[in-house]
Short mmCIF file of all heavy atoms in Angstrom, two decimals:
data_model
loop_
_atom_site.label_atom_id
_atom_site.label_comp_id
_atom_site.label_asym_id
_atom_site.label_seq_id
_atom_site.Cartn_x
_atom_site.Cartn_y
_atom_site.Cartn_z
N SER V 102 227.11 213.56 48.78
CA SER V 102 227.44 214.59 49.75
C SER V 102 228.58 214.05 50.61
O SER V 102 229.74 214.12 50.21
CB SER V 102 226.22 214.96 50.58
OG SER V 102 226.42 216.19 51.21
N ARG V 141 218.88 224.49 42.07
CA ARG V 141 218.97 225.84 42.64
C ARG V 141 217.58 226.31 42.97
O ARG V 141 216.64 226.06 42.22
CB ARG V 141 219.56 226.80 41.61
CG ARG V 141 221.05 226.81 41.51
CD ARG V 141 221.51 227.89 40.57
NE ARG V 141 221.57 229.16 41.24
CZ ARG V 141 222.68 229.70 41.77
NH1 ARG V 141 223.83 229.07 41.64
NH2 ARG V 141 222.64 230.85 42.39
N ILE V 153 221.08 227.93 47.10
CA ILE V 153 221.95 228.66 46.18
C ILE V 153 223.08 227.77 45.67
O ILE V 153 224.01 228.23 45.03
CB ILE V 153 222.55 229.92 46.84
CG1 ILE V 153 223.31 229.54 48.11
CG2 ILE V 153 221.45 230.92 47.16
CD1 ILE V 153 224.06 230.71 48.73
N ASP V 154 222.99 226.49 45.95
CA ASP V 154 224.00 225.53 45.48
C ASP V 154 223.67 225.09 44.06
O ASP V 154 222.52 224.79 43.75
CB ASP V 154 224.00 224.26 46.34
CG ASP V 154 224.46 224.51 47.76
OD1 ASP V 154 224.05 225.51 48.37
OD2 ASP V 154 225.24 223.68 48.27
N ASN V 155 224.68 225.00 43.22
CA ASN V 155 224.49 224.36 41.92
C ASN V 155 224.53 222.86 42.12
O ASN V 155 225.42 222.36 42.80
CB ASN V 155 225.61 224.74 40.95
CG ASN V 155 225.72 226.23 40.80
OD1 ASN V 155 224.74 226.91 40.50
ND2 ASN V 155 226.91 226.77 41.06
N PHE V 157 225.08 218.83 41.56
CA PHE V 157 225.93 217.87 40.84
C PHE V 157 225.06 217.13 39.84
O PHE V 157 223.90 216.81 40.12
CB PHE V 157 226.48 216.80 41.79
CG PHE V 157 227.76 217.16 42.48
CD1 PHE V 157 228.00 216.68 43.77
CD2 PHE V 157 228.74 217.92 41.88
CE1 PHE V 157 229.19 216.97 44.43
CE2 PHE V 157 229.94 218.22 42.53
CZ PHE V 157 230.15 217.75 43.82
N PHE D 285 225.38 227.43 56.78
CA PHE D 285 226.02 226.76 55.66
C PHE D 285 225.77 225.27 55.83
O PHE D 285 226.28 224.66 56.77
CB PHE D 285 227.52 227.08 55.67
CG PHE D 285 228.33 226.32 54.66
CD1 PHE D 285 228.09 226.45 53.30
CD2 PHE D 285 229.37 225.48 55.07
CE1 PHE D 285 228.85 225.75 52.36
CE2 PHE D 285 230.14 224.78 54.14
CZ PHE D 285 229.87 224.91 52.79
N GLN D 286 224.95 224.72 54.95
CA GLN D 286 224.76 223.26 54.98
C GLN D 286 225.89 222.66 54.17
O GLN D 286 225.91 222.75 52.94
CB GLN D 286 223.40 222.87 54.40
CG GLN D 286 223.18 221.35 54.46
CD GLN D 286 221.89 220.90 53.81
OE1 GLN D 286 220.86 221.56 53.91
NE2 GLN D 286 221.93 219.76 53.13
N ALA D 287 226.83 222.08 54.85
CA ALA D 287 228.04 221.58 54.20
C ALA D 287 227.81 220.19 53.64
O ALA D 287 226.75 219.60 53.81
CB ALA D 287 229.19 221.56 55.20
N GLU D 288 228.83 219.67 52.97
CA GLU D 288 228.71 218.35 52.35
C GLU D 288 228.86 217.22 53.37
O GLU D 288 228.50 216.08 53.09
CB GLU D 288 229.73 218.19 51.22
CG GLU D 288 231.19 218.37 51.61
CD GLU D 288 231.65 219.83 51.49
OE1 GLU D 288 230.79 220.73 51.57
OE2 GLU D 288 232.86 220.07 51.32
N ASP D 289 229.42 217.53 54.53
CA ASP D 289 229.51 216.52 55.58
C ASP D 289 229.89 217.22 56.89
O ASP D 289 230.05 218.44 56.92
CB ASP D 289 230.51 215.40 55.23
CG ASP D 289 231.94 215.89 55.02
OD1 ASP D 289 232.26 217.01 55.47
OD2 ASP D 289 232.72 215.16 54.39
N ALA D 292 233.39 219.05 56.80
CA ALA D 292 233.34 220.34 56.12
C ALA D 292 232.60 221.36 56.97
O ALA D 292 232.93 222.55 56.96
CB ALA D 292 232.68 220.19 54.76
N PRO R 77 236.94 223.60 52.62
CA PRO R 77 235.82 224.06 53.45
C PRO R 77 236.23 225.13 54.45
O PRO R 77 235.42 226.00 54.79
CB PRO R 77 235.33 222.79 54.16
CG PRO R 77 236.39 221.77 53.97
CD PRO R 77 237.13 222.14 52.72
N THR R 80 236.08 228.14 52.55
CA THR R 80 234.68 228.48 52.26
C THR R 80 234.06 229.24 53.43
O THR R 80 233.44 230.30 53.25
CB THR R 80 233.86 227.20 51.97
OG1 THR R 80 234.39 226.59 50.79
CG2 THR R 80 232.39 227.51 51.77
N LEU R 84 232.78 233.09 53.29
CA LEU R 84 231.38 233.45 53.56
C LEU R 84 231.30 234.47 54.69
O LEU R 84 230.50 235.41 54.65
CB LEU R 84 230.55 232.22 53.90
CG LEU R 84 230.45 231.15 52.81
CD1 LEU R 84 229.48 230.05 53.23
CD2 LEU R 84 230.00 231.75 51.49
N GLY R 106 236.04 215.08 48.11
CA GLY R 106 234.65 215.52 48.26
C GLY R 106 234.57 217.03 48.43
O GLY R 106 233.81 217.72 47.76
N HIS R 107 235.39 217.55 49.33
CA HIS R 107 235.35 218.99 49.59
C HIS R 107 235.71 219.78 48.34
O HIS R 107 235.11 220.81 48.05
CB HIS R 107 236.32 219.35 50.72
CG HIS R 107 236.14 218.53 51.94
ND1 HIS R 107 234.92 218.36 52.55
CD2 HIS R 107 237.02 217.81 52.68
CE1 HIS R 107 235.07 217.59 53.61
NE2 HIS R 107 236.32 217.24 53.71
N LEU R 109 235.36 219.08 45.23
CA LEU R 109 234.31 219.12 44.21
C LEU R 109 233.08 219.89 44.69
O LEU R 109 232.43 220.57 43.91
CB LEU R 109 233.95 217.69 43.78
CG LEU R 109 235.13 216.97 43.11
CD1 LEU R 109 234.83 215.50 42.90
CD2 LEU R 109 235.49 217.63 41.78
N HIS R 110 232.78 219.79 45.97
CA HIS R 110 231.64 220.55 46.47
C HIS R 110 231.92 222.05 46.45
O HIS R 110 231.02 222.86 46.21
CB HIS R 110 231.27 220.10 47.89
CG HIS R 110 230.44 218.86 47.89
ND1 HIS R 110 229.08 218.88 47.71
CD2 HIS R 110 230.78 217.56 48.00
CE1 HIS R 110 228.62 217.64 47.72
NE2 HIS R 110 229.63 216.82 47.90
N THR R 111 233.14 222.41 46.73
CA THR R 111 233.51 223.83 46.68
C THR R 111 233.33 224.34 45.25
O THR R 111 232.79 225.42 45.02
CB THR R 111 234.97 223.99 47.13
OG1 THR R 111 235.10 223.40 48.41
CG2 THR R 111 235.35 225.46 47.21
N ILE R 112 233.77 223.52 44.32
CA ILE R 112 233.67 223.90 42.91
C ILE R 112 232.21 224.06 42.50
O ILE R 112 231.83 225.02 41.85
CB ILE R 112 234.38 222.84 42.04
CG1 ILE R 112 235.89 222.95 42.24
CG2 ILE R 112 233.99 222.97 40.58
CD1 ILE R 112 236.68 221.82 41.63
N ARG R 113 231.37 223.12 42.89
CA ARG R 113 229.98 223.22 42.43
C ARG R 113 229.29 224.43 43.02
O ARG R 113 228.42 225.02 42.40
CB ARG R 113 229.23 221.91 42.71
CG ARG R 113 228.56 221.81 44.05
CD ARG R 113 227.70 220.54 44.15
NE ARG R 113 227.41 220.24 45.53
CZ ARG R 113 226.30 220.66 46.17
NH1 ARG R 113 225.40 221.35 45.56
NH2 ARG R 113 226.13 220.34 47.44
N ARG R 114 229.70 224.84 44.21
CA ARG R 114 229.07 226.02 44.81
C ARG R 114 229.61 227.30 44.19
O ARG R 114 229.03 228.35 44.34
CB ARG R 114 229.34 226.04 46.32
CG ARG R 114 228.68 224.91 47.05
CD ARG R 114 228.73 225.13 48.56
NE ARG R 114 228.28 223.92 49.21
CZ ARG R 114 229.06 223.03 49.80
NH1 ARG R 114 230.36 223.25 49.88
NH2 ARG R 114 228.55 221.95 50.33
N ASN R 115 230.78 227.21 43.58
CA ASN R 115 231.40 228.39 42.98
C ASN R 115 231.69 229.48 44.02
O ASN R 115 231.39 230.65 43.84
CB ASN R 115 230.50 228.95 41.86
CG ASN R 115 231.27 229.85 40.91
OD1 ASN R 115 232.48 229.64 40.70
ND2 ASN R 115 230.62 230.85 40.36
N VAL R 116 232.31 229.02 45.11
CA VAL R 116 232.77 229.98 46.13
C VAL R 116 233.95 230.75 45.55
O VAL R 116 234.82 230.16 44.90
CB VAL R 116 233.22 229.22 47.40
CG1 VAL R 116 233.58 230.22 48.49
CG2 VAL R 116 232.13 228.27 47.86
N ASN R 117 234.00 232.01 45.79
CA ASN R 117 235.04 232.84 45.15
C ASN R 117 236.39 232.70 45.84
O ASN R 117 236.86 233.61 46.53
CB ASN R 117 234.58 234.30 45.14
CG ASN R 117 235.47 235.15 44.26
OD1 ASN R 117 236.35 234.63 43.57
ND2 ASN R 117 235.27 236.46 44.30
N ALA R 166 232.26 218.83 37.70
CA ALA R 166 231.62 219.29 38.94
C ALA R 166 231.05 220.69 38.77
O ALA R 166 230.46 221.23 39.70
CB ALA R 166 232.62 219.25 40.09
N GLY R 167 231.25 221.28 37.60
CA GLY R 167 230.66 222.59 37.35
C GLY R 167 231.63 223.75 37.49
O GLY R 167 231.19 224.89 37.71
N THR R 195 235.03 230.07 41.99
CA THR R 195 236.12 229.14 42.30
C THR R 195 237.04 229.00 41.10
O THR R 195 236.57 228.66 40.01
CB THR R 195 235.56 227.75 42.66
OG1 THR R 195 234.58 227.90 43.68
CG2 THR R 195 236.68 226.85 43.16
N PRO R 298 227.01 233.41 39.11
CA PRO R 298 226.95 234.01 40.44
C PRO R 298 227.81 233.21 41.41
O PRO R 298 227.87 231.98 41.34
CB PRO R 298 225.48 233.90 40.83
CG PRO R 298 224.75 233.29 39.69
CD PRO R 298 225.70 233.00 38.59
N THR R 299 228.48 233.89 42.29
CA THR R 299 229.26 233.16 43.28
C THR R 299 228.40 232.87 44.51
O THR R 299 227.45 233.59 44.81
CB THR R 299 230.50 233.95 43.75
OG1 THR R 299 230.05 235.10 44.48
CG2 THR R 299 231.35 234.39 42.56
N TYR R 300 228.79 231.82 45.20
CA TYR R 300 228.08 231.40 46.40
C TYR R 300 228.12 232.50 47.47
O TYR R 300 227.11 232.85 48.07
CB TYR R 300 228.75 230.14 46.92
CG TYR R 300 227.95 229.38 47.93
CD1 TYR R 300 226.96 228.49 47.53
CD2 TYR R 300 228.21 229.50 49.30
CE1 TYR R 300 226.24 227.75 48.47
CE2 TYR R 300 227.49 228.77 50.23
CZ TYR R 300 226.51 227.90 49.81
OH TYR R 300 225.81 227.19 50.73
N ASP R 301 229.32 233.04 47.65
CA ASP R 301 229.48 234.04 48.70
C ASP R 301 228.69 235.30 48.38
O ASP R 301 228.11 235.91 49.28
CB ASP R 301 230.96 234.37 48.92
CG ASP R 301 231.78 234.32 47.65
OD1 ASP R 301 231.78 233.26 46.99
OD2 ASP R 301 232.37 235.34 47.27
#
Side-chain angles (χ1 to χ4, degrees):
Chain V
S102 198
R141 277 186 83 97
I153 57 173
D154 293 43
N155 304 306
F157 273 147
Chain D
F285 173 61
Q286 182 184 322
E288 58 271 24
D289 61 19
Chain R
T80 297
L84 298 186
H107 309 308
L109 296 170
H110 279 277
T111 305
I112 289 170
R113 89 173 162 93
R114 294 192 189 104
N115 199 31
V116 185
N117 191 7
T195 308
T299 67
Y300 195 83
D301 34 303

